[in-house]
Every structure is written in structure tokens, then in C-alpha cells.
Amino acid sequence: MMDNRRRGGMRRRKICQFCADKAETVDYKDVEKLRKYITDRGKILPKRITGTCAVHQRDVTTAVKRARVVALLPYSAD
């Protein structure tokens, strides 16, 4: 029993924030929400870290890329 806690077993599964909010779409203009899904260097975080489901992870990736094109988010850190 002690070995499971030491190795990090028995973790709670992360829930998708967009599924919990029952969001229809991920908006590229919502910069504050999208900042949670990129690193300080500008990389898009994977779904195993953020906890988003596969459908919403694809939407987040598309929204981040669109926000970069419109210059709402940076491509990389300065």
C-alpha cells in the first residue's frame, strides 16, 4: 500500500474543463482561457497535462493557432 503512494499511483483523473462547462465551441478570441493551455514559452500543452478530452484538445489547438495568426497570442517567448 505504501508503494502506490510513493510511485504516484491511484491518481484522480482530470476532467475536461470544456465538457464540465458544457461549452459548444472553443473561441479563439477568449485569450485568457487559451493562456491556460500554452506554456510561458508559447508551446501548446498536451492533453495528458491539461486534462482536456480529445475533441476539445483539437479545438484548443485550432483556436490557439488562429489566435496566433491574428496576433492575440505569441508564437514564442521574446
Side-chain angles (χ1 to χ4, degrees):
M1 185 170 122
M2 193 66 167
D3 291 334
N4 281 342
R5 276 188 256 153
R6 202 173 303 138
R7 289 190 196 138
M10 308 288 258
R11 290 194 187 174
R12 212 166 157 216
R13 189 154 182 208
K14 296 178 184 177
I15 59 164
C16 176
Q17 194 61 41
F18 297 102
C19 289
D21 295 342
K22 295 190 169 96
E24 292 291 321
T25 58
V26 181
D27 191 16
Y28 73 93
K29 292 172 275 189
D30 192 2
V31 178
E32 292 304 315
K33 189 174 265 191
L34 290 178
R35 281 196 196 276
K36 290 188 254 179
Y37 297 99
I38 60 171
T39 63
D40 55 343
R41 299 189 62 152
K43 292 183 174 185
I44 300 172
L45 290 169
K47 71 177 202 151
R48 64 183 163 81
I49 300 213
T50 60
T52 56
C53 65
V55 173
H56 288 119
Q57 180 67 28
R58 286 192 293 271
D59 291 343
V60 165
T61 302
T62 305
V64 167
K65 290 177 181 179
R66 284 182 182 164
R68 285 175 176 167
V69 168
V70 187
L72 298 174
L73 289 175
Y75 278 99
S76 64
D78 292 339

